[in-house]
Amino acid sequence: MHQQTEHVRKWRLYVFVAICGLMSTPAIAITPEVEELIRSWSPLVWLHSEEKFLPSSVEFFLPEVTVQDNQSVIIQDYVTPENIIGGEASLTLHMQTREPLDCPSCYNLGMFFGQAIENGGVPTYTIYREYDDVFKTLDVSYFAFYPYNRGKDACVGVPINGSCAGAEKNLGNHVGDWEHNALRFRNGQPYMIHLNVHSFGAYYEWNETTKKFHFFVGEEVWSAVDPDYDDSPYEKDARYEPQYPPTVELMGTHPVVYSANGSHGLWGSPGIAWTTWDNLILIPWLPSNISYEGNLNWLSFLGDWGNSAEGCEYEIVTGECELGSGPSGPRSKVDFPEPQPKTSMDN
């Protein structure tokens, strides 16, 4: 465990140094070769067989929310992808469902159940970035949006011998859920994949011999809820390491990932097959000081994609509210460090 922790620290240091290093200029115009690479390696996502909270398009979700400030004042009433407020002015804002929830852990709104995924019914928002480095690096992030994330049951009573004496609460729900995985290519070949699970994830390296992605390093997780309900010593915010699967398999060239029931975190270990390549919206990466326009203007919203937190009376014990605040959008997600400039082979 110490060895893996040290590995994580070195990887994070590498990320920090690389991001602070010299910048590479991304290409905007997409070539047929790059587009084919993006499409042929888009993931096959297996949704849980009992999944009720399906993904949706941004266009499906936005009419159901307003944009509010942290005092619950409505800043923008009727929201569309084209007109939503963006940039620094949106940093402290959040979306709020137009219709109220019956309770912090209630899911009484029809739009929470998303849209049918068959025949390309739901888009995958695919942000790609090309670099002018010696490896012709290409980073691709495949984003899926879900109107609702269902949390987990937690013991707020007394955990005894693997069971809970007293009350249980469903904690960690939130309106709005952005999930993604990211692929890095070098010289037109896969190099590494990152599977994202909310605030943590794992990196897998491509193995040309086995034709699989093999586990490289996992990110540490800070947990505030004891998952075992036993009476062993336990401290709030104790660290634990998820059991990441050893490989990510392929179907043809499509990585096969599995979405957790309700919470949608991507794991590499079936149910409903979502063939994401049926509806990819290809989006060139833009630096943070440049805004997207038109029907991609929604990417410029930098606030939270969901309701403000509610039902937090147990947070001091569990670290979770019944309804947590919504997630930030795709532009806040960075999975790979920038490669070094073209003059360097040391990356």
Side-chain angles (χ1 to χ4, degrees):
M1 181 172 175
H2 171 76
Q3 195 172 28
Q4 180 157 342
T5 301
E6 186 63 28
H7 204 172
V8 171
R9 288 190 184 128
K10 288 180 179 178
W11 175 250
R12 287 176 174 165
L13 177 62
Y14 169 58
V15 170
F16 177 79
V17 170
I19 289 177
C20 294
L22 294 172
M23 303 288 284
S24 300
T25 302
I28 298 299
I30 191 169
T31 65
E33 293 78 15
V34 168
E35 181 171 351
E36 175 59 25
L37 199 62
I38 293 172
R39 292 187 181 280
S40 62
W41 287 86
S42 61
L44 169 66
V45 180
W46 282 104
L47 300 174
H48 195 278
S49 59
E50 298 176 1
E51 182 62 75
K52 295 189 294 186
F53 305 104
L54 297 174
S56 81
S57 67
V58 167
E59 289 81 358
F60 174 85
F61 178 75
L62 289 183
E64 308 296 331
V65 300
T66 62
V67 174
Q68 301 185 5
D69 65 13
N70 55 16
Q71 301 298 317
S72 300
V73 174
I74 295 178
I75 304 301
Q76 193 171 17
D77 196 353
Y78 295 98
V79 184
T80 70
E82 294 81 8
N83 75 4
I84 189 169
I85 188 171
E88 290 188 9
S90 66
L91 273 169
T92 59
L93 304 179
H94 69 275
M95 299 179 189
Q96 189 81 14
T97 53
R98 192 172 293 279
E99 297 295 326
L101 305 186
D102 289 344
C103 68
S105 60
C106 292
Y107 46 93
N108 52 286
L109 304 185
M111 65 98 163
F112 284 170
F113 301 97
Q115 297 175 287
I117 61 173
E118 291 81 4
N119 303 315
V122 174
T124 299
Y125 299 98
T126 309
I127 299 178
Y128 65 93
R129 183 178 186 182
E130 297 181 74
Y131 295 89
D132 187 25
D133 67 316
V134 70
F135 295 108
K136 299 179 180 177
T137 301
L138 169 67
D139 287 346
V140 185
S141 296
Y142 300 91
F143 283 93
F145 179 73
Y146 298 78
Y148 188 73
N149 174 95
R150 190 65 177 163
K152 303 296 181 185
D153 291 333
C155 180
V156 295
V158 179
I160 300 175
N161 298 325
S163 61
C164 181
E168 283 189 337
K169 283 283 187 179
N170 187 271
L171 304 177
N173 309 288
H174 53 85
V175 177
D177 185 22
W178 281 104
E179 298 293 348
H180 76 285
N181 69 278
L183 267 165
R184 167 160 283 186
F185 299 90
R186 285 181 168 182
N187 296 316
Q189 298 298 319
Y191 174 67
M192 187 170 287
I193 190 171
H194 179 260
L195 298 187
N196 176 70
V197 189
H198 297 302
S199 61
F200 60 98
Y203 292 89
Y204 291 76
E205 285 187 307
W206 175 251
N207 187 302
E208 185 62 28
T209 301
T210 64
K211 302 293 184 183
K212 297 177 183 178
F213 290 96
H214 290 258
F215 180 79
F216 173 59
V217 64
E219 297 164 342
E220 294 176 336
V221 186
W222 288 85
S223 175
V225 180
D226 182 359
D228 296 326
Y229 289 179
D230 59 24
D231 53 5
S232 59
Y234 179 79
E235 292 184 5
K236 180 176 178 287
D237 293 333
R239 285 184 295 181
Y240 73 96
E241 295 183 3
Q243 297 300 307
Y244 294 107
T247 61
V248 175
E249 309 284 333
L250 301 181
M251 187 193 77
T253 55
H254 299 286
V256 179
V257 295
Y258 299 84
S259 178
N261 188 19
S263 63
H264 312 128
L266 296 181
W267 298 88
S269 74
I272 308 166
W274 182 11
T275 52
T276 61
W277 54 93
D278 288 337
N279 189 351
L280 295 182
I281 295 179
L282 303 182
I283 304 168
W285 174 89
L286 292 179
S288 59
N289 62 338
I290 299 178
S291 296
Y292 287 89
E293 298 178 348
N295 61 2
L296 293 179
N297 174 64
W298 58 267
L299 282 161
S300 300
F301 178 77
L302 303 181
D304 293 339
W305 283 72
N307 291 20
S308 57
E310 293 183 59
C312 298
E313 56 267 28
Y314 297 103
E315 187 180 18
I316 192 171
V317 177
T318 65
E320 295 270 12
C321 297
E322 287 186 72
L323 183 73
S325 57
S328 56
R331 295 191 84 174
S332 67
K333 281 41 173 187
V334 178
D335 297 295
F336 297 114
E338 291 193 12
Q340 294 299 305
K342 198 166 187 176
T343 54
S344 172
M345 288 289 289
D346 186 22
N347 73 335

